[in-house]
Amino acid sequence: MSKNRFSFDLSRFTVGAAKAWLLGIVALTATVAHGQTQTDPDTALRMLNAQQQQFEKGVIQVAENVFTAVGFHGANTSMIVGTDGVIIIDTLFGPSSAADAAEAFRQYSDKPVKAIIYTHSHGDHIGGASSFVGNAKPDIYATESFGSAEGVNKAVDPIKQKRNVRQFGRKLSPAESTNRGVAPAGTKDGDRGEGFLPPTVTVPNSGLKTTIAGIDIEFHISPGETDDAMFIWLPSEKVLFAGDNFYNSFPNLYAIRGTAYRDVLNWSESVGKMAALNPHVVVPGHTMPIAGEAAATAALQDYSDAIRSVYDQTVRGINAGKGPDQLAHEVELPEHLQDKPYLIQFYGTVPHAVRAIYCGLLGWYDGNPTTLNRLEPKIKAKKMAQLAGGTAELTAQMESALEKQDYQWAMELSDHVKWLDDADRKLARKTKIAALRGLAAREYNAPNRNYYLSYANELESGQLSNVWF
Ligand SMILES: [Zn+2]
């Protein structure tokens, strides 16, 4: 079998490189305070650089007739070769990245595309379908609720777009860029969605078992990152395509770009169902496949258990009367899961998940009557200044916090100082910019790091208003 320059086989990755990668990561995380995603800057950067191997560009043969293209854009796309055609699972972001992957796939098969399957409706999985089909007219499979994930929050699209740019670090300089946690930085995004082809076959809510191009294939409805998700199972090859309910990072149970509540319990259950199949390979929606029955099954079971544990701990804390600020600092992964390479918080974080679960179950109110009618920010800032002994003293405290590299506190004080009419607002802004960059350097969680750096740049360039909402 000819292999293109991107190719490498999965067994080599899983046995060799992945082991080294895993040991490296575990050694690095020994210095990390669990439950948080900050460490010393050198370690944070080394961790993010190590994670880079998870989306190194290449086509991986995951079974005799199954190929996965990693790193051609943010997400993965896979090809299953059947008797008289191929099946494509997920189609990347736009026609150019998809054409690149389609060309790489043709090294292994030039049979016509009989079916395209969308695991869910996120843009990085559906935008390049046209590049795979050529003259063929494939069936295009999606769930009944396909598209529901993006339809609900249209009213706040303007701010979601800004926050999306920050979370993914889309406007960061090459020197500031690392990656996106489960995807490389610097993807070509100009043709977003231009190759999308609408679904023609609806997978019913009860799922579907069928044969396409001689391949037995099962569609299992599996809500998680989105409500319209499904996973795909090849019972003969024992290959499982997880969509975005599994990848090599703690899951993004909440996205800081702003999303509606992702039902965490459903997510845990969906991944548990995947584990119950004992796959020989699991192909994630992003990052490298995991091969070997024991490794693949354990990864899925651990993932399901991790989500469930964060949910259960949060619910227990809620019922004990604790608020989200407290719980975000208390809840952590059970010890036996903390060093699993697929649960390191490169993309999702436990504290963000805790807050999302709180809000998803109870809404914004933390149950404490003090917070029912909080002071307006400007009034509170004035009172904080009085408490400090005046605006000059509050400003001095802010500067001192920055000096001591107490970045979070420096930012919180700058958020008071910025409201004061008699304060040096430029200094408050400068302080916040410096604190954001200090925090960013310590972050190994890619969305946090990208958000801090992007926001610092926006503040510096004057794109944000005086009180920089
Ligand atoms: Zn995705």
Side-chain angles (χ1 to χ4, degrees):
M1 182 176 290
S2 72
K3 294 203 169 183
N4 71 10
R5 67 199 160 93
F6 297 125
S7 302
F8 43 99
D9 75 66
L10 185 58
S11 57
R12 189 161 62 80
F13 180 81
T14 47
V15 176
K19 200 168 177 191
W21 178 83
L22 186 154
L23 291 172
I25 287 287
V26 169
L28 289 170
T29 53
T31 59
V32 172
H34 291 296
Q36 304 292 333
T37 53
Q38 290 170 15
T39 182
D40 68 274
D42 280 352
T43 305
L45 199 56
R46 277 162 59 209
M47 288 175 71
L48 279 161
N49 286 339
Q51 176 70 351
Q52 204 78 16
Q53 293 178 36
Q54 284 290 336
F55 22 85
E56 212 170 273
K57 192 174 182 180
V59 174
I60 298 149
Q61 183 169 15
V62 301
E64 202 188 329
N65 59 333
V66 183
F67 302 85
T68 295
V70 178
F72 285 73
H73 192 271
N76 295 340
T77 173
S78 293
M79 175 178 74
I80 307 158
V81 182
T83 49
D84 60 340
V86 303
I87 303 165
I88 301 291
I89 299 182
D90 287 344
T91 65
L92 305 183
F93 193 79
S96 60
S97 49
D100 196 10
E103 194 192 325
F105 280 156
R106 270 194 288 276
Q107 312 263 340
Y108 303 96
S109 173
D110 55 5
K111 292 176 183 173
V113 176
K114 291 285 182 191
I116 284 178
I117 298 166
Y118 297 134
T119 58
H120 65 295
S121 63
H122 274 163
D124 51 335
H125 298 258
I126 64 172
S130 63
S131 293
F132 290 97
V133 300
N135 296 323
K137 287 255 178 295
D139 290 328
I140 300 177
Y141 291 78
T143 57
E144 265 182 45
S145 56
F146 183 79
S148 60
E150 294 305 311
V152 284
N153 293 326
K154 286 270 175 236
V156 285
D157 266 358
I159 190 65
K160 279 173 68 184
Q161 279 165 17
K162 284 185 192 164
R163 288 169 54 156
N164 179 303
V165 167
R166 294 169 185 159
Q167 176 186 321
F168 293 116
R170 294 184 192 281
K171 292 187 179 166
L172 295 179
S173 70
E176 293 166 321
S177 283
T178 47
N179 58 62
R180 297 172 182 172
V182 293
T187 50
K188 292 195 182 83
D189 297 342
D191 59 352
R192 179 192 175 123
E194 286 173 16
F196 173 67
L197 298 173
T200 59
V201 182
T202 300
V203 176
N205 285 333
S206 52
L208 179 68
K209 295 181 182 184
T210 186
T211 303
I212 305 169
I215 303 288
D216 291 336
I217 187 165
E218 298 181 9
F219 301 71
H220 294 256
I221 303 300
S222 60
E225 186 181 282
T226 60
D227 287 339
D228 64 4
M230 60 181 167
F231 70 81
I232 309 302
W233 172 236
L234 304 182
S236 307
E237 294 83 354
K238 296 200 175 296
V239 174
L240 191 144
F241 301 89
D244 277 3
N245 286 345
F246 177 82
Y247 35 67
N248 285 285
S249 162
F250 184 79
N252 210 21
L253 301 179
Y254 174 76
I256 59 175
R257 65 176 188 269
T259 50
Y261 182 52
R262 295 171 163 181
D263 191 320
V264 165
L265 263 193
N266 277 345
W267 195 330
S268 169
E269 278 168 22
S270 290
V271 182
K273 284 179 190 161
M274 297 179 200
L277 291 167
N278 297 312
H280 288 191
V281 184
V282 56
V283 178
H286 297 246
T287 71
M288 296 295 273
I290 296 178
E293 183 176 356
T297 304
L300 291 167
Q301 193 57 55
D302 286 346
Y303 216 69
S304 172
D305 291 349
I307 298 169
R308 180 73 205 211
S309 172
V310 169
Y311 175 86
D312 285 345
Q313 290 179 64
T314 305
V315 166
R316 269 200 302 277
I318 287 172
N319 287 327
K322 294 176 182 175
D325 284 339
Q326 184 63 36
L327 287 169
H329 289 273
E330 270 186 26
V331 174
E332 45 179 46
L333 287 178
E335 211 165 321
H336 72 285
L337 297 178
Q338 287 181 355
D339 289 335
K340 301 291 182 187
Y342 37 81
L343 285 170
I344 296 170
Q345 299 170 72
F346 286 118
Y347 194 37
T349 82
V350 172
H352 296 341
V354 167
R355 291 179 186 280
I357 294 165
Y358 195 103
C359 207
L361 298 180
L362 287 173
W364 67 267
Y365 179 45
D366 67 0
N368 176 358
T370 306
T371 69
L372 263 183
N373 219 342
R374 283 177 188 274
L375 293 171
E376 187 185 343
K378 187 163 185 165
I379 304 290
K380 185 163 181 184
K382 284 181 180 167
K383 289 179 184 292
M384 290 296 285
Q386 276 169 14
L387 191 65
T391 297
E393 286 74 11
L394 184 63
T395 305
Q397 289 285 330
M398 174 185 79
E399 288 186 279
S400 153
L402 183 66
E403 183 106 337
K404 291 178 196 150
Q405 301 187 354
D406 190 356
Y407 296 128
Q408 182 62 33
W409 187 228
M411 281 213 297
E412 293 193 17
L413 292 181
S414 79
D415 277 2
H416 292 308
V417 173
K418 74 184 182 185
W419 286 106
L420 300 171
D421 296 329
D422 58 345
D424 182 349
R425 285 177 162 152
K426 269 192 184 151
L427 180 62
R429 180 180 289 240
K430 264 189 174 166
T431 304
K432 185 153 181 175
I433 292 166
L436 283 166
R437 289 183 175 144
L439 278 177
R442 292 175 178 175
E443 275 286 347
Y444 65 87
N445 175 263
N448 282 356
R449 185 181 181 103
N450 291 336
Y451 206 102
Y452 287 147
L453 289 172
S454 302
Y455 202 94
N457 292 348
E458 287 176 43
L459 278 175
E460 199 165 55
S461 66
Q463 289 170 57
L464 299 171
S465 76
N466 265 348
V467 283
W468 55 80
F469 287 111

